[in-house]
Amino acid sequence: MDFSEDVRLAQKGSTEAFARLYAEVYKDMYHIARYSLRSTEDASDAVSDAVLDAFCSIKKLRDPNTFRGWIMKILSVKIKQKQKEYFADTEELSDDSKISSFSYENTELKEALERLDSESKLILSMSVLGGYSSDEIAGVCRLKAGTVRSKLSRIKEKLRLELT
Amino acid sequence: MNDKEVREMLENEKVPEKLEPENIKKMLDEKAPAVKRKKITAVSRFAAIAAACAVVSGTAVHFAGKGNNINKSGKSEITSMNELITNVTENITSPTTPPAPSVSSEGPYMSGAENYGEIYALIQKANENYQNESRRNSYRYMTKGGALMKEEEFEDGADYSAAPAQEDGQLSGTGNNENSQEHSDTFNQEEGVLEADIVKTDGKNIYKLNPGGTYYHNDYMYDDALMTETAIDDITLVKGYNRIMPSVSIVGINSDGSFGEVSKIDLTDVISKIGDKIENADVTARQMYLYNDMVIVIGSYYNWDTDCQCSDEKTFVAAFSTAEGHKLIGTYIQGGSFNDVRIAPDGYLYLLSGYNSDRFSVIGDADNLSRFIPRAGLAESYDFIAPADILMPEDDIESLEYARYTVIGSLDLNSSDSITPVTSKALAGYSGQMYCSANNIYTTVYNFYEDLPEEVEYGFKTQKATESEITRIAIGGGQIVPAATGKVPGVINDQFSMSEYNGYFRVATTCYEYEMTYRKGEYYEYYRYLEDGDYEKLEEPVKKEYGYYSSHELSQDNRVYVFDMDLETVGSIGGFGEDEFVRSVNFSGDMAYVVTYEQTDPLFAIDLSDPTAPKILDEYKMLGYSSYMQRWSDDLLLGFGPDADLKGRITGIKMVMFDNSDPSDLKEVGKVALNTKDYDYIYSSATNDRKALLIEPEKNIIAFPTTESRGYVDHNIASYKFYSYADGKFTHKGDITLRNGEGKHISFQRALYIGDHVYAVTDDGTVYAADIDTIEVTGKIKI
């Protein structure tokens, strides 16, 4: 996928081109956000906030081919901001109506997935959803690629153990 | 458990409708301008405001010049799409008499206004048209406010950012420098028509332009992103606005290639002459010349006035002496945002800027000249352009909410102790890509034809096609005389797609026609705008009706047209490179070499020796494409650009030498390909900034900058890679390299040579010196 032409247009202010770029990544963005956050609303907010920031700062994107990693980096900041709010606002925590989780038959897997810490969630979801490489994930999470690889295998190992 | 199970679980939930791309686009259209203005750098705000204006205005149509038959309401001279398609797909081969180049005052514009009141009346009338049109036809309003405005907005965006702060350096041939050594020069498209750059040398010194600007720093930004943008690492950024003064850094080069004294030209004094609300303004240096013992800096000034919700945009030219102390010689100011600049062989500088009036509703009465009349002149005498020099269309007043002008000013640089404005003219209408020969400036603007929309069950449908309008403006001795206009189907890639030769003007375009569909639907509004430009989240989303556009392409091909000097079509050839875009063009005498690209790179050799009947002699296909081509020798053409795999995915960069000794049998004689694997990447800024290339056949040097990342994206390696070419192959001579630490994104901007050394300049102002043969680094200095 060559993003360069659309990135160039988006840098000139074309929302249409940006929407095309976005179309390539939005499902991953949403699912990654959804997995790391409590509700569909929070996930939607994180994605739309990230998109707005990304569009407004796309001029800073030097290499169009890093678009995927770049927008994911912005999303990860948005997700972290939301997660901080959860800690700060304990009232919201008690509001069960705001927390909804996946509906899926495999409750064991669901619970195992839910139990992961937020960084692991991000790493896992980027890896399995978007097929991001450990290098790209490293860029987003500000870790070394090797660390990501070992974390990822530990996460998978943990899930496997919990499910057996 | 396996990845697939996890993936299925995580993807189980449907993505909310409001996150669907078309709804996100809608959200950006509504919100981005406001947010941009608040959060982003002033440079970006600049474009955002234009975008905002465009959205507000609904019908931001520029004045149509006489002979401009594009009519956004569909009443164009070419009345139907079919006719258009027929016209453009056939090769037009109507022979005409050979043209005689002439400068006549019989131009496409009326001779000039009698007084400012006349111009005001014209804008008023156009605004009435606009108001009536919005009221009369809500669909059309929707169209204009939606899809069509996107194009307008895009043009605006292009206007401001098309001359990206990063262009590169050159030096000028004048000035008698005793200690000057042989040195490289910015490559000029037309011999003797000088092009500006951000790094220049006179063989004694290297001059580097530091753009400066205003950067907003807040929690939304990542430090490294900001550092990337400013490339200044010795400044501590604070939260809020950070103003960095533009300047020119200079380092002397000794005859043994070592570095001499470092000095700096500070632009603070100049800036205080340019605007009164300087503390809020964003001032950026854009381009530079060394000419006639002067350092000439071209920059832009931008200020957003929240009181009147209007902007103040100026372009300036500041000349300094190259002599010690760098005395300020003069400051010239011209209204509007910087577009492009050239110095003609006779020593006159021509500056193009784009000026937008305020929206008519805030102009008030006809005495508020500052709101709709551009100004020009030396800082001491900066004043409104005389009515007679404001060239308005004779008829065909369309609807518009604000007026646009292309302002062209000329400066006499023949004396090394003064700069003297000669003429400044404002031509109604916007200009995009510009090309300049020794005697003519060609400005272009592209438009979209639109058929009348047809109502269908789900909304509306219409067909569109691209068309560029070209204006020839005769220049000489500082005079500026609009001489002819013409139209050509398609869009023009860049200045190299145009060429004047032997009394003919040739242009390569990409034409596309597509169908726009408007689907009605509804969406939810989650935010409400507040008066201060901020917005807040609504407790309950509000349902709104809207529609969205989609488009699909009907056809796309590439064409070369030949015009006479009256810009009447003499001949053309089309239909090649179907579904591809023109990526680069090299006109060389009677030949045109055109690279188009979608998945592979056909290089077409087109013979224009009979202007009435151009013909394709050969087509050479390869992977990737050349984003720039330059003559290497009589029989060799150098192409540089992205490399790609079979699927058309960009994988890296490549450099190719073509043997064009027989244009009907093009051959590849040498290639360098630097490709990525996995998620590493390699990228060269020269693929979209040709001035970053150092191409010196006489010295047998080819150099280009690269950025490479291996794995961890925050660590990258920036290099200038040097090659030579002989006997059908490139030889890698060596690299000048720097390794970026975490969070740093320093990259190389330009390379040049002086005497026996090459020099590479980074965006943060470090100059590396290396031996011209071995590329062994001999020194490094921060300037």
Side-chain angles (χ1 to χ4, degrees), chain B residues 659-717:
Chain B
D659 178 347
N660 59 355
S661 53
D662 177 2
S664 57
D665 182 23
L666 296 171
K667 286 188 283 284
E668 178 187 318
V669 284
K671 178 179 174 179
V672 172
L674 303 172
N675 280 305
T676 50
K677 55 181 191 307
D678 303 330
Y679 286 91
D680 295 353
Y681 74 86
I682 183 163
Y683 165 76
S684 175
S685 58
T687 56
N688 50 32
D689 177 8
R690 60 99 185 168
K691 289 177 183 173
L693 292 164
L694 177 67
I695 302 173
E696 295 290 340
E698 305 237 316
K699 290 276 162 184
N700 199 1
I701 303 178
I702 305 154
F704 53 87
T706 59
T707 304
E708 285 169 78
S709 167
R710 301 192 188 122
Y712 194 25
V713 298
D714 277 344
H715 289 84
N716 63 66
I717 300 158

Side-chain angles (χ1 to χ4, degrees), chain B residues 565-586:
Chain B
M565 295 315 268
D566 295 326
L567 296 182
E568 299 285 343
T569 310
V570 176
S572 75
I573 186 162
F576 63 91
E578 275 179 31
D579 297 329
E580 299 180 327
F581 275 98
V582 168
R583 295 297 181 152
S584 60
V585 183
N586 181 281

Side-chain angles (χ1 to χ4, degrees), chain B residues 404-453:
Chain B
R404 292 172 168 189
Y405 308 88
T406 298
V407 185
I408 308 179
S410 60
L411 288 176
D412 185 351
L413 303 180
N414 286 303
S415 156
S416 62
D417 53 11
S418 68
I419 55 170
T420 313
V422 183
T423 322
S424 46
K425 293 211 170 159
L427 280 57
Y430 155 86
S431 289
Q433 298 289 352
M434 165 274 217
Y435 158 77
C436 185
S437 69
N439 302 312
N440 292 289
I441 290 173
Y442 294 82
T443 65
T444 70
V445 56
Y446 79 86
N447 291 302
F448 288 79
Y449 281 105
E450 188 183 358
D451 269 4
L452 282 172

Side-chain angles (χ1 to χ4, degrees), chain B residues 464-504:
Chain B
K464 289 186 161 197
T466 50
E467 182 189 69
S468 294
E469 189 186 334
I470 300 162
T471 303
R472 176 169 73 87
I473 298 154
I475 54 168
Q479 295 307 308
I480 297 161
V481 184
T485 57
K487 282 178 294 175
V488 60
V491 296
I492 297 167
N493 182 43
D494 63 11
Q495 67 185 79
F496 294 96
S497 294
M498 296 180 268
S499 153
E500 184 191 305
Y501 178 71
N502 255 353
Y504 292 97

